[in-house]
């Protein structure tokens, strides 16, 4: 235990901030678990709507420096990916209707015109003795 008054205060303030940070982290985890539960219960529309609430909690924690910006982005991306993959997996398979094949007449190519180039004039080297 510290002896100096300011050090004692720091211990108390740090303990208080630690509790606040734990509560915010816990709230983020709770929102993430709610989405996972909705996915398991196959309530995909509700899960998609609750993404906004979870994103808000994650962004709030990020702005308070509880999560690093990259960590927050990772969490949001993983949540969104889970919801999207669940929606895609649960979506009814749509039949692919084959479109009728339309035959297109071949396009005639224009004949290639040959161009003649003028021969280059050769440089004549003069032998100047300097």
């Amino acid at each position: 235990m510290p002896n100096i008054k300011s050090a004692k205060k720091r211990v108390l303030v740090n303990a208080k901030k630690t509790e606040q940070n734990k509560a915010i982290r816990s709230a983020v985890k709770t929102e993430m678990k709610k989405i996972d539960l909705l996915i398991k219960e196959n309530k995909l529309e509700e899960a998609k709507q609750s993404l906004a609430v979870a994103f808000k909690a994650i962004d709030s924690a990020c702005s308070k420096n509880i999560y690093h910006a990259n960590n927050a982005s990772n969490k949001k991306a993983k949540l969104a990916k889970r919801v999207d993959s669940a929606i895609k997996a649960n979506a009814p398979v749509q039949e692919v209707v084959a479109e009728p094949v339309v035959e297109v007449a071949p396009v005639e190519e224009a004949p290639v015109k040959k161009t003649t180039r003028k021969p280059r004039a050769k440089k004549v080297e003069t032998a100047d003795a300097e």
Side-chain angles (χ1 to χ4, degrees), residues 47-78:
K48 194 171 185 178
Q49 292 171 352
S50 64
L51 271 179
V53 177
F55 283 5
K56 186 175 179 181
I58 293 170
D59 288 335
S60 174
C62 179
S63 69
K64 295 173 184 172
N65 290 326
I66 295 170
Y67 288 127
H68 188 273
N70 292 349
N71 189 355
S73 294
N74 253 344
K75 287 183 184 308
K76 290 176 6 180
K78 287 178 183 177

Side-chain angles (χ1 to χ4, degrees), residues 10 17 31-32 56 74 76 83 98 103 106 112:
R10 292 288 357 140
K17 289 302 282 180
E31 292 301 326
M32 293 172 71
K56 186 175 179 181
N74 253 344
K76 290 176 6 180
V83 171
E103 293 184 25
V112 178

Side-chain angles (χ1 to χ4, degrees), residues 33-63:
K33 288 176 186 176
K34 283 181 185 176
I35 291 176
D36 287 338
L37 185 64
L38 288 171
I39 290 172
K40 286 181 183 177
E41 292 175 354
N42 214 13
K43 297 179 180 176
L44 302 178
E45 287 304 316
E46 291 178 34
K48 194 171 185 178
Q49 292 171 352
S50 64
L51 271 179
V53 177
F55 283 5
K56 186 175 179 181
I58 293 170
D59 288 335
S60 174
C62 179
S63 69

Side-chain angles (χ1 to χ4, degrees), residues 7-129:
K8 290 177 185 178
K9 181 178 178 183
R10 292 288 357 140
V11 169
L12 296 175
V13 170
N14 287 341
K16 184 177 178 183
K17 289 302 282 180
T18 300
E19 290 301 316
Q20 290 173 347
N21 292 346
K22 278 185 185 178
I24 293 171
R25 275 194 213 99
S26 176
V28 169
K29 290 177 186 177
T30 301
E31 292 301 326
M32 293 172 71
K33 288 176 186 176
K34 283 181 185 176
I35 291 176
D36 287 338
L37 185 64
L38 288 171
I39 290 172
K40 286 181 183 177
E41 292 175 354
N42 214 13
K43 297 179 180 176
L44 302 178
E45 287 304 316
E46 291 178 34
K48 194 171 185 178
Q49 292 171 352
S50 64
L51 271 179
V53 177
F55 283 5
K56 186 175 179 181
I58 293 170
D59 288 335
S60 174
C62 179
S63 69
K64 295 173 184 172
N65 290 326
I66 295 170
Y67 288 127
H68 188 273
N70 292 349
N71 189 355
S73 294
N74 253 344
K75 287 183 184 308
K76 290 176 6 180
K78 287 178 183 177
L79 266 180
K81 191 173 184 179
R82 272 188 249 154
V83 171
D84 287 342
S85 63
I87 290 173
K88 286 181 184 177
N90 197 28
V93 179
Q94 296 178 353
E95 293 182 24
V96 178
V97 179
E99 295 182 16
V101 178
V102 178
E103 293 184 25
V104 179
V107 178
E108 294 181 22
E109 294 182 14
V112 178
K113 183 178 178 183
K114 290 186 178 181
T115 58
T116 57
R117 291 176 53 186
K118 293 181 182 178
R120 288 186 175 175
K122 292 184 180 180
K123 290 184 179 180
V124 178
E125 294 183 22
T126 57
D128 290 326

